[in-house]
Amino acid sequence: MVKTGLNKTGIYSALFTPADSSGNLDVPVLRDLIRYEMKHGIEGVYCCGSSGEALLLSTDERKKLVEVVAEETSGNIPFIVHTGALSTRDAIELSTHAQTCGAAAVSLIPPIYYNYSPEEIAGYYGDVVKAVDLGVIVYNIPQFTGISFSKENKLLCDEKIIGIKHTSMNLYELERIKQAFGNKTIFNGFDEIWLYSMTAGATATIGTTVNICPPVFKAIRESALAGDMDKAKQIQSMLNGFIETLVKVNVFPAAKYCMALLGVDIGPCRKPFSLLTGDEKTIIKDALDLISDYL
């Protein structure tokens, strides 16, 4: 029996990883960040993902971060832990630790760098599935991994694979997966297509800018569910203007800087990410004004 306290219609922040002046995990600021986001309406946390710079963290840092998330959410909202790693052994270690901490589910990118066969990729997920009593969410992010998941992938037939985080602009693929596997939860992974992912079958979203402005995502969802698609599109377009600027600067460092502007200084991204210039910070500050009504 798969254990899960998952919010299948939730708005999850792809939680940032705060860093101190030495580049180490900043636990006190992490606590501040989670409290800030819960106060502003997030419905779940997805930690140690791309926005959390997971592959730039050590295994011990990833575990500590999850422990803090578990303490701060304290059963009030669910949290999902990204446990994808370069090795199956590390993925299992991180996944079993997440289960111990009370995660609602774990989520994994496929193994990368080596050109693994489909059978080897399936084996990686299968080994994690066997190691935990949690639901597993496939993290589909082909622009980073070079691997794309579709409805043809037999992994999705496993009942312990409870969903897919679809960080892809291919909404046709999303819709086909939903039609083939209606019992799976589809998580939108690109903030800029939240509205359109809902129309294709996504019921939840996990995003970088959810950290910054959860009310925007709620407003899009509420307008869409109320049948006011004109308003939903207007809000999505406003959000996209903001996101477009962050992407032009460098989305992850830019988004982290937004939090500093909102009063929670979580530090920069880890190297090899570059530090933002003064001009870039000014551009980001101006972009934040686009969504100021929702902050």
Side-chain angles (χ1 to χ4, degrees):
M1 184 71 176
V2 178
K3 299 176 183 177
T4 179
L6 203 64
N7 183 348
K8 296 182 179 181
T9 60
I11 291 169
Y12 290 73
S13 68
L15 192 69
F16 297 129
T17 297
D20 63 21
S21 58
S22 299
N24 299 315
L25 174 65
D26 194 326
V27 171
V29 176
L30 175 60
R31 294 186 187 280
D32 290 342
L33 175 64
I34 297 167
R35 291 170 188 174
Y36 176 93
E37 293 190 12
M38 290 178 67
K39 180 181 177 181
H40 286 80
I42 59 167
E43 298 170 348
V45 170
Y46 183 97
C47 58
C48 298
S50 301
S51 301
E53 304 165 70
L55 298 185
L56 303 181
L57 305 177
S58 70
T59 297
D60 286 345
E61 286 176 315
R62 290 172 73 170
K63 287 181 177 180
K64 180 62 179 176
L65 190 149
V66 172
E67 290 163 10
V68 174
V69 169
E71 291 170 6
E72 290 298 329
T73 56
S74 193
N76 293 306
I77 57 172
F79 66 94
I80 301 167
V81 182
H82 171 252
T83 58
L86 296 180
S87 74
T88 299
R89 178 176 293 183
D90 285 349
I92 289 174
E93 181 180 343
L94 290 164
S95 297
T96 55
H97 175 264
Q99 178 173 308
T100 300
C101 290
V106 294
S107 176
L108 297 90
I109 58 167
I112 57 173
Y113 184 71
Y114 296 105
N115 189 23
Y116 295 110
S117 69
E119 293 75 20
E120 288 167 328
I121 294 169
Y124 162 88
Y125 282 101
D127 287 339
V128 172
V129 162
K130 291 173 187 174
V132 296
D133 294 323
L134 290 176
V136 176
I137 299 165
V138 172
Y139 188 173
N140 184 39
I141 184 164
Q143 70 274 23
F144 282 4
T145 65
I147 299 165
S148 183
F149 293 87
S150 71
K151 73 170 188 176
E152 309 302 330
N153 197 296
K154 294 180 181 179
L155 265 177
L156 296 173
C157 296
D158 191 315
E159 66 173 10
K160 287 182 73 176
I161 302 290
I162 60 171
I164 185 165
K165 180 178 186 289
H166 189 75
T167 308
S168 166
M169 292 292 180
N170 192 332
L171 294 181
Y172 168 75
E173 192 173 71
L174 186 161
E175 188 274 339
R176 290 291 83 198
I177 291 171
K178 186 63 178 179
Q179 285 300 312
F181 299 98
N183 61 326
K184 308 292 183 183
T185 302
I186 309 294
F187 296 85
N188 170 61
F190 271 133
D191 297 354
E192 51 268 55
I193 56 170
W194 168 219
L195 172 61
Y196 311 107
S197 288
M198 278 192 285
T199 65
T203 58
T205 195
I206 298 167
T208 304
T209 59
V210 174
N211 290 276
I212 300 163
C213 52
V216 174
F217 291 84
K218 287 186 173 182
I220 293 169
R221 180 183 63 190
E222 289 164 7
S223 296
L225 293 178
D228 191 346
M229 292 302 289
D230 286 342
K231 184 176 180 181
K233 286 189 286 186
Q234 181 183 24
I235 301 169
Q236 181 72 67
S237 180
M238 175 197 67
L239 176 64
N240 288 358
F242 170 63
I243 293 172
E244 185 176 27
T245 301
L246 299 191
V247 170
K248 285 179 180 177
V249 170
N250 193 341
V251 64
F252 297 124
K256 290 186 81 170
Y257 181 62
C258 285
M259 296 309 305
L261 294 172
L262 295 174
V264 186
D265 190 348
I266 58 176
C269 289
R270 284 195 173 179
K271 290 184 176 181
F273 280 108
S274 299
L275 294 175
L276 296 170
T277 66
D279 287 345
E280 288 172 332
K281 289 181 177 181
T282 299
I283 291 169
I284 296 163
K285 185 176 184 298
D286 290 343
L288 201 58
D289 289 340
L290 295 173
I291 56 170
S292 60
D293 288 347
Y294 289 86
L295 299 177

